[in-house]
């Protein structure tokens, strides 16, 4: 018997799925091969430890602990939206910082370089135009990304859309034929 075959027989032995002939061949090989004998001894120790560990029982209040933890997590993940305002608060702070920086810069420029009132208004309108232009550009980018995803979905399910279109035309044709024949019309 070769060592590769003995490894297969070892696994069968520990699975208790070995016949008497294979077991005798395995024991004969283990007596003659020190490497396989050491491997068999190591596996015997491992499997005996595993069998001893199977007798471990969970604590008596294990089910109660699991159920209470599940209840806490259910409450945490099912909070109403009005109580979970963390994202909106961060968004509000970010927008506030943008306006403070934008109009703070305008105020700083007005104090540092005292120009006429109309020139300050012109600077403010230019900055506001740039801000809104950037916002529109960002919205366009988001729109392009959404359209790209939609186009990708359309390309992926192209034949399904064609099939649905043909099915719709067939259903309309049947409906029109029923109406013409008087089967679908109210009389």
């Amino acid at each position: 018997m070769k060592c590769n075959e003995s490894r297969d027989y070892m696994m069968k032995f520990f699975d208790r799925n070995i016949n008497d002939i294979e077991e005798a061949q395995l024991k004969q090989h283990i007596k003659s091969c020190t490497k396989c004998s050491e491997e068999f001894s190591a596996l015997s120790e491992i499997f005996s430890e595993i069998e001893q560990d199977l007798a471990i029982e969970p604590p008596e209040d294990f089910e109660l602990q699991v159920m209470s933890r599940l209840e806490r997590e259910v409450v945490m993940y099912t909070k109403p939206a009005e109580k979970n305002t963390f994202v909106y608060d961060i968004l509000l702070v970010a927008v506030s910082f943008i306006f403070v920086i934008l109009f703070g810069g305008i105020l700083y420029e007005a104090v540092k370089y005292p120009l006429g009132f109309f020139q300050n208004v012109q600077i403010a309108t230019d900055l506001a135009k740039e801000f809104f232009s950037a916002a529109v550009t960002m919205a366009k980018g988001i729109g392009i990304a959404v359209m790209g995803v939609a186009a990708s979905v359309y390309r992926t399910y192209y034949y399904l859309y064609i099939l649905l279109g043909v099915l719709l035309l067939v259903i309309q044709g049947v409906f029109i034929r029923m109406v013409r024949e008087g089967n679908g019309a109210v009389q």
Side-chain angles (χ1 to χ4, degrees), residues 57-71:
E57 292 290 325
E60 289 181 21
D61 63 339
F62 180 74
E63 184 178 354
L64 181 64
Q65 290 176 0
V66 170
M67 295 308 290
S68 66
R69 185 170 177 189
L70 280 174
E71 288 172 2

Side-chain angles (χ1 to χ4, degrees), residues 73-135:
E73 288 188 13
V74 164
V75 167
M76 182 173 66
Y77 288 114
T78 58
K79 274 186 188 176
E82 60 269 358
K83 290 184 181 178
N84 193 2
T85 59
F86 181 72
V87 173
Y88 301 113
D89 293 342
I90 289 179
L91 184 63
L92 180 64
V93 169
V95 169
S96 299
F97 276 132
I98 289 171
F99 281 113
V100 165
I101 290 170
L102 179 71
F103 292 112
I106 293 170
L107 185 61
Y108 174 76
E109 289 292 323
V111 170
K112 186 175 179 185
Y113 304 107
L115 300 173
F117 175 74
F118 293 108
Q119 290 173 334
N120 284 336
V121 169
Q122 181 64 36
I123 291 171
T125 56
D126 289 344
L127 286 174
K129 285 179 187 177
E130 289 176 15
F131 177 76
F132 289 117
S133 172

Side-chain angles (χ1 to χ4, degrees), residues 6-7 10-11 13-14 26-27 29-31 33-50:
S6 71
R7 287 189 187 100
M10 283 184 212
M11 289 299 115
F13 177 82
F14 291 115
L26 175 65
K27 288 183 179 180
H29 180 77
I30 288 173
K31 287 180 184 175
C33 180
T34 56
K35 183 179 175 186
C36 289
S37 175
E38 291 172 1
E39 187 175 344
F40 185 79
S41 298
L43 286 171
S44 295
E45 290 178 26
I46 290 170
F47 280 106
S48 66
E49 287 292 324
I50 290 173

Side-chain angles (χ1 to χ4, degrees), residues 169-182:
L169 290 174
V170 168
I171 290 172
Q172 284 178 343
V174 169
F175 180 73
I176 290 172
R177 185 174 295 142
M178 287 174 60
V179 169
R180 283 185 184 156
E181 292 174 0

